[in-house]
Amino acid sequence: MCYYFYAIASKKDGRIYKGVSQDVDQRLKWHNEGKTKSTKGYRPWQLVYVEKVDDLKEALEKEKYYKSGIGREQLKELIKQWPRSSAE
């Protein structure tokens, strides 16, 4: 079963939320419907980066890394290069 590390950006204030899911589209829908307590107040959200990984352990390691100082900087660069970011 595959997992995805994803990053979404608040259209309200630009903050980036990082998470892990098996179904990124459904997860984004939940964020935008206010079903996720930590992101409810910053709606609407848009998907700005997705990375497919092989298993949950790897996905959680990526999430932890991208939440670290150096990882946050790297993620900012990945978001700039990610195809859907430039289209939205």
Side-chain angles (χ1 to χ4, degrees):
M1 191 164 286
C2 67
Y3 288 84
Y4 299 88
F5 165 79
Y6 68 93
I8 55 177
S10 169
K11 291 183 181 181
K12 185 175 183 177
D13 68 0
R15 74 181 58 219
I16 303 292
Y17 176 88
K18 301 148 203 95
V20 170
S21 180
Q22 289 180 306
D23 185 342
V24 175
D25 291 330
Q26 180 63 45
R27 192 72 175 113
L28 178 61
K29 183 179 175 188
W30 288 348
H31 286 293
N32 281 322
E33 290 176 351
K35 294 180 180 179
T36 305
K37 188 176 179 181
S38 61
T39 61
K40 185 176 184 176
Y42 307 100
R43 296 176 288 166
W45 293 91
Q46 69 179 3
L47 187 65
V48 293
Y49 184 74
V50 176
E51 191 172 330
K52 184 177 178 180
V53 292
D54 295 326
D55 59 42
L56 180 58
K57 182 181 178 191
E58 183 182 352
L60 293 172
E61 287 171 359
K62 281 197 178 287
E63 180 183 27
K64 183 178 179 179
Y65 172 73
Y66 287 132
K67 287 181 175 181
S68 72
I70 190 93
R72 268 194 306 274
E73 294 304 313
Q74 184 180 1
L75 182 59
K76 285 179 189 177
E77 291 304 313
L78 291 170
I79 289 169
K80 288 178 189 175
Q81 298 169 18
W82 195 62
R84 284 173 84 175
S85 296
S86 58
E88 294 183 74

